């Protein structure tokens, strides 16, 4: 009764399949995918400079869905005064469109993430440009206000 007549779910696409999609998108946004490749522990990643912002792109599979993630590391956390900085980042998150601030390994990032399916070069470029603009606009302001130091470029 249960499960009879149901078709099995198709296998999830591999990370290699998603990497090929991203590598088809990058040239259309002015990035050489081979030169931008990064070594990652799992999956695939790319990084490149867009204006003053370092842009990192990663793909991952979560629950059989591929995700496109764009990050820009903007600053190292200051030694003191973290609570006011965290509060400011949360307040800023309400003002951002299709992006957010986050912290990983004592570095503040601007990031955006979306499912990979249906992503085209125009949307990828828009996401990259948006993250880069937020990073470029906020990096110096946050360091001036809270201390810390800017993230080093590649």
């Amino acid at each position: 009764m249960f499960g009879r007549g149901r078709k099995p779910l198709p296998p999830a696409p591999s990370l290699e399949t998603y990497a090929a999609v991203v590598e088809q998108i990058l040239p259309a946004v002015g990035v050489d995918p081979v030169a931008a490749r990064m070594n990652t522990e799992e999956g695939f990643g790319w990084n490149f400079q867009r204006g003053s912002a370092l842009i990192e792109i990663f793909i991952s599979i979560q629950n059989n869905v591929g995700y496109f993630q764009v990050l820009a590391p903007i600053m190292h956390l200051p030694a003191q005064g973290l609570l006011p900085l965290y509060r400011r980042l949360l307040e800023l998150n309400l003002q951002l469109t299709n992006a957010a601030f986050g912290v990983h390994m004592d570095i503040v990032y601007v990031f955006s993430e979306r499912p990979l399916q249906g992503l085209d070069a125009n949307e990828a470029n828009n996401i990259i440009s948006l993250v880069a603009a937020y990073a470029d606009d906020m990096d110096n302001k946050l360091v001036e206000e809270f201390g810390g130091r800017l993230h080093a470029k590649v």
Side-chain angles (χ1 to χ4, degrees), residues 35-53:
R37 284 185 194 146
M38 295 187 331
N39 290 326
T40 60
E41 290 182 24
E42 294 181 18
F44 296 88
W46 301 264
N47 69 6
F48 52 91
Q49 207 69 36
R50 177 63 67 95
S52 68

PDB file of all heavy atoms in Angstrom, residues 35-53:
ATOM      1  N   ALA A  35      41.003  30.682 -13.885  1.00  0.00           N
ATOM      2  CA  ALA A  35      41.872  31.541 -13.061  1.00  0.00           C
ATOM      3  C   ALA A  35      41.259  31.810 -11.701  1.00  0.00           C
ATOM      4  O   ALA A  35      41.981  32.018 -10.719  1.00  0.00           O
ATOM      5  CB  ALA A  35      42.136  32.859 -13.783  1.00  0.00           C
ATOM      6  N   ALA A  36      39.944  31.791 -11.592  1.00  0.00           N
ATOM      7  CA  ALA A  36      39.264  32.126 -10.340  1.00  0.00           C
ATOM      8  C   ALA A  36      39.067  30.924  -9.416  1.00  0.00           C
ATOM      9  O   ALA A  36      38.667  31.103  -8.268  1.00  0.00           O
ATOM     10  CB  ALA A  36      37.910  32.754 -10.655  1.00  0.00           C
ATOM     11  N   ARG A  37      39.339  29.710  -9.883  1.00  0.00           N
ATOM     12  CA  ARG A  37      39.094  28.521  -9.048  1.00  0.00           C
ATOM     13  C   ARG A  37      39.872  28.569  -7.748  1.00  0.00           C
ATOM     14  O   ARG A  37      41.022  28.990  -7.709  1.00  0.00           O
ATOM     15  CB  ARG A  37      39.483  27.253  -9.795  1.00  0.00           C
ATOM     16  CG  ARG A  37      38.496  26.845 -10.829  1.00  0.00           C
ATOM     17  CD  ARG A  37      38.886  25.514 -11.458  1.00  0.00           C
ATOM     18  NE  ARG A  37      38.104  25.312 -12.666  1.00  0.00           N
ATOM     19  CZ  ARG A  37      38.542  24.695 -13.736  1.00  0.00           C
ATOM     20  NH1 ARG A  37      39.765  24.195 -13.768  1.00  0.00           N
ATOM     21  NH2 ARG A  37      37.768  24.562 -14.785  1.00  0.00           N
ATOM     22  N   MET A  38      39.221  28.114  -6.682  1.00  0.00           N
ATOM     23  CA  MET A  38      39.846  28.005  -5.359  1.00  0.00           C
ATOM     24  C   MET A  38      39.872  26.544  -4.944  1.00  0.00           C
ATOM     25  O   MET A  38      38.992  25.773  -5.327  1.00  0.00           O
ATOM     26  CB  MET A  38      39.015  28.737  -4.291  1.00  0.00           C
ATOM     27  CG  MET A  38      38.926  30.202  -4.446  1.00  0.00           C
ATOM     28  SD  MET A  38      38.092  31.052  -3.055  1.00  0.00           S
ATOM     29  CE  MET A  38      36.939  29.919  -2.390  1.00  0.00           C
ATOM     30  N   ASN A  39      40.844  26.195  -4.144  1.00  0.00           N
ATOM     31  CA  ASN A  39      40.835  24.883  -3.502  1.00  0.00           C
ATOM     32  C   ASN A  39      39.906  24.953  -2.309  1.00  0.00           C
ATOM     33  O   ASN A  39      40.026  25.855  -1.481  1.00  0.00           O
ATOM     34  CB  ASN A  39      42.245  24.490  -3.039  1.00  0.00           C
ATOM     35  CG  ASN A  39      43.159  24.187  -4.197  1.00  0.00           C
ATOM     36  OD1 ASN A  39      42.723  23.674  -5.218  1.00  0.00           O
ATOM     37  ND2 ASN A  39      44.423  24.528  -4.053  1.00  0.00           N
ATOM     38  N   THR A  40      38.969  24.038  -2.231  1.00  0.00           N
ATOM     39  CA  THR A  40      38.040  23.978  -1.114  1.00  0.00           C
ATOM     40  C   THR A  40      38.072  22.579  -0.530  1.00  0.00           C
ATOM     41  O   THR A  40      38.420  21.616  -1.215  1.00  0.00           O
ATOM     42  CB  THR A  40      36.602  24.318  -1.543  1.00  0.00           C
ATOM     43  OG1 THR A  40      36.180  23.376  -2.533  1.00  0.00           O
ATOM     44  CG2 THR A  40      36.503  25.725  -2.114  1.00  0.00           C
ATOM     45  N   GLU A  41      37.713  22.479   0.749  1.00  0.00           N
ATOM     46  CA  GLU A  41      37.690  21.164   1.397  1.00  0.00           C
ATOM     47  C   GLU A  41      36.623  20.284   0.784  1.00  0.00           C
ATOM     48  O   GLU A  41      36.810  19.095   0.616  1.00  0.00           O
ATOM     49  CB  GLU A  41      37.454  21.325   2.902  1.00  0.00           C
ATOM     50  CG  GLU A  41      38.634  21.920   3.630  1.00  0.00           C
ATOM     51  CD  GLU A  41      38.388  22.022   5.122  1.00  0.00           C
ATOM     52  OE1 GLU A  41      37.545  21.263   5.655  1.00  0.00           O
ATOM     53  OE2 GLU A  41      39.045  22.851   5.751  1.00  0.00           O
ATOM     54  N   GLU A  42      35.476  20.885   0.498  1.00  0.00           N
ATOM     55  CA  GLU A  42      34.377  20.151  -0.119  1.00  0.00           C
ATOM     56  C   GLU A  42      33.808  20.997  -1.248  1.00  0.00           C
ATOM     57  O   GLU A  42      33.694  22.205  -1.122  1.00  0.00           O
ATOM     58  CB  GLU A  42      33.266  19.880   0.895  1.00  0.00           C
ATOM     59  CG  GLU A  42      33.673  18.943   2.004  1.00  0.00           C
ATOM     60  CD  GLU A  42      32.518  18.696   2.962  1.00  0.00           C
ATOM     61  OE1 GLU A  42      31.355  18.955   2.609  1.00  0.00           O
ATOM     62  OE2 GLU A  42      32.800  18.231   4.064  1.00  0.00           O
ATOM     63  N   GLY A  43      33.435  20.383  -2.312  1.00  0.00           N
ATOM     64  CA  GLY A  43      32.772  21.103  -3.379  1.00  0.00           C
ATOM     65  C   GLY A  43      33.705  21.967  -4.205  1.00  0.00           C
ATOM     66  O   GLY A  43      34.881  21.647  -4.378  1.00  0.00           O
ATOM     67  N   PHE A  44      33.162  23.058  -4.700  1.00  0.00           N
ATOM     68  CA  PHE A  44      33.869  23.927  -5.617  1.00  0.00           C
ATOM     69  C   PHE A  44      33.729  25.370  -5.167  1.00  0.00           C
ATOM     70  O   PHE A  44      32.727  25.759  -4.580  1.00  0.00           O
ATOM     71  CB  PHE A  44      33.300  23.782  -7.035  1.00  0.00           C
ATOM     72  CG  PHE A  44      33.495  22.411  -7.595  1.00  0.00           C
ATOM     73  CD1 PHE A  44      32.550  21.411  -7.377  1.00  0.00           C
ATOM     74  CD2 PHE A  44      34.638  22.103  -8.327  1.00  0.00           C
ATOM     75  CE1 PHE A  44      32.738  20.142  -7.890  1.00  0.00           C
ATOM     76  CE2 PHE A  44      34.825  20.833  -8.843  1.00  0.00           C
ATOM     77  CZ  PHE A  44      33.879  19.846  -8.619  1.00  0.00           C
ATOM     78  N   GLY A  45      34.736  26.161  -5.495  1.00  0.00           N
ATOM     79  CA  GLY A  45      34.693  27.575  -5.162  1.00  0.00           C
ATOM     80  C   GLY A  45      35.531  28.383  -6.123  1.00  0.00           C
ATOM     81  O   GLY A  45      36.426  27.858  -6.790  1.00  0.00           O
ATOM     82  N   TRP A  46      35.228  29.660  -6.203  1.00  0.00           N
ATOM     83  CA  TRP A  46      35.941  30.601  -7.059  1.00  0.00           C
ATOM     84  C   TRP A  46      36.085  31.903  -6.286  1.00  0.00           C
ATOM     85  O   TRP A  46      35.239  32.243  -5.457  1.00  0.00           O
ATOM     86  CB  TRP A  46      35.147  30.874  -8.335  1.00  0.00           C
ATOM     87  CG  TRP A  46      34.870  29.659  -9.156  1.00  0.00           C
ATOM     88  CD1 TRP A  46      35.582  29.211 -10.236  1.00  0.00           C
ATOM     89  CD2 TRP A  46      33.815  28.707  -8.970  1.00  0.00           C
ATOM     90  NE1 TRP A  46      35.038  28.056 -10.725  1.00  0.00           N
ATOM     91  CE2 TRP A  46      33.951  27.712  -9.962  1.00  0.00           C
ATOM     92  CE3 TRP A  46      32.776  28.584  -8.055  1.00  0.00           C
ATOM     93  CZ2 TRP A  46      33.078  26.644 -10.075  1.00  0.00           C
ATOM     94  CZ3 TRP A  46      31.917  27.513  -8.150  1.00  0.00           C
ATOM     95  CH2 TRP A  46      32.073  26.556  -9.162  1.00  0.00           C
ATOM     96  N   ASN A  47      37.170  32.657  -6.559  1.00  0.00           N
ATOM     97  CA  ASN A  47      37.268  34.009  -6.002  1.00  0.00           C
ATOM     98  C   ASN A  47      37.913  34.932  -7.013  1.00  0.00           C
ATOM     99  O   ASN A  47      38.694  34.513  -7.855  1.00  0.00           O
ATOM    100  CB  ASN A  47      37.976  34.029  -4.648  1.00  0.00           C
ATOM    101  CG  ASN A  47      39.445  33.713  -4.715  1.00  0.00           C
ATOM    102  OD1 ASN A  47      40.039  33.570  -5.776  1.00  0.00           O
ATOM    103  ND2 ASN A  47      40.057  33.585  -3.558  1.00  0.00           N
ATOM    104  N   PHE A  48      37.542  36.195  -6.922  1.00  0.00           N
ATOM    105  CA  PHE A  48      38.041  37.204  -7.844  1.00  0.00           C
ATOM    106  C   PHE A  48      37.734  38.571  -7.257  1.00  0.00           C
ATOM    107  O   PHE A  48      36.922  38.707  -6.343  1.00  0.00           O
ATOM    108  CB  PHE A  48      37.411  37.052  -9.235  1.00  0.00           C
ATOM    109  CG  PHE A  48      35.908  36.997  -9.213  1.00  0.00           C
ATOM    110  CD1 PHE A  48      35.149  38.156  -9.342  1.00  0.00           C
ATOM    111  CD2 PHE A  48      35.258  35.780  -9.058  1.00  0.00           C
ATOM    112  CE1 PHE A  48      33.766  38.094  -9.307  1.00  0.00           C
ATOM    113  CE2 PHE A  48      33.874  35.714  -9.019  1.00  0.00           C
ATOM    114  CZ  PHE A  48      33.124  36.872  -9.146  1.00  0.00           C
ATOM    115  N   GLN A  49      38.404  39.566  -7.796  1.00  0.00           N
ATOM    116  CA  GLN A  49      38.217  40.940  -7.355  1.00  0.00           C
ATOM    117  C   GLN A  49      37.122  41.585  -8.198  1.00  0.00           C
ATOM    118  O   GLN A  49      37.087  41.434  -9.417  1.00  0.00           O
ATOM    119  CB  GLN A  49      39.535  41.701  -7.549  1.00  0.00           C
ATOM    120  CG  GLN A  49      39.737  42.851  -6.612  1.00  0.00           C
ATOM    121  CD  GLN A  49      39.957  42.447  -5.171  1.00  0.00           C
ATOM    122  OE1 GLN A  49      40.583  41.439  -4.875  1.00  0.00           O
ATOM    123  NE2 GLN A  49      39.411  43.222  -4.281  1.00  0.00           N
ATOM    124  N   ARG A  50      36.202  42.272  -7.564  1.00  0.00           N
ATOM    125  CA  ARG A  50      35.182  43.058  -8.263  1.00  0.00           C
ATOM    126  C   ARG A  50      35.195  44.430  -7.596  1.00  0.00           C
ATOM    127  O   ARG A  50      34.745  44.570  -6.471  1.00  0.00           O
ATOM    128  CB  ARG A  50      33.827  42.377  -8.165  1.00  0.00           C
ATOM    129  CG  ARG A  50      32.641  43.093  -8.787  1.00  0.00           C
ATOM    130  CD  ARG A  50      32.699  43.296 -10.300  1.00  0.00           C
ATOM    131  NE  ARG A  50      32.619  42.121 -11.121  1.00  0.00           N
ATOM    132  CZ  ARG A  50      31.510  41.636 -11.679  1.00  0.00           C
ATOM    133  NH1 ARG A  50      30.356  42.212 -11.487  1.00  0.00           N
ATOM    134  NH2 ARG A  50      31.568  40.578 -12.444  1.00  0.00           N
ATOM    135  N   GLY A  51      35.796  45.415  -8.251  1.00  0.00           N
ATOM    136  CA  GLY A  51      35.997  46.710  -7.610  1.00  0.00           C
ATOM    137  C   GLY A  51      36.977  46.539  -6.457  1.00  0.00           C
ATOM    138  O   GLY A  51      38.003  45.891  -6.599  1.00  0.00           O
ATOM    139  N   SER A  52      36.626  47.082  -5.305  1.00  0.00           N
ATOM    140  CA  SER A  52      37.493  46.922  -4.136  1.00  0.00           C
ATOM    141  C   SER A  52      37.149  45.680  -3.322  1.00  0.00           C
ATOM    142  O   SER A  52      37.784  45.391  -2.320  1.00  0.00           O
ATOM    143  CB  SER A  52      37.413  48.160  -3.239  1.00  0.00           C
ATOM    144  OG  SER A  52      36.134  48.252  -2.651  1.00  0.00           O
ATOM    145  N   ALA A  53      36.135  44.947  -3.738  1.00  0.00           N
ATOM    146  CA  ALA A  53      35.670  43.803  -2.957  1.00  0.00           C
ATOM    147  C   ALA A  53      36.244  42.485  -3.486  1.00  0.00           C
ATOM    148  O   ALA A  53      36.303  42.262  -4.695  1.00  0.00           O
ATOM    149  CB  ALA A  53      34.146  43.727  -2.994  1.00  0.00           C
TER     150      ALA A  53
END
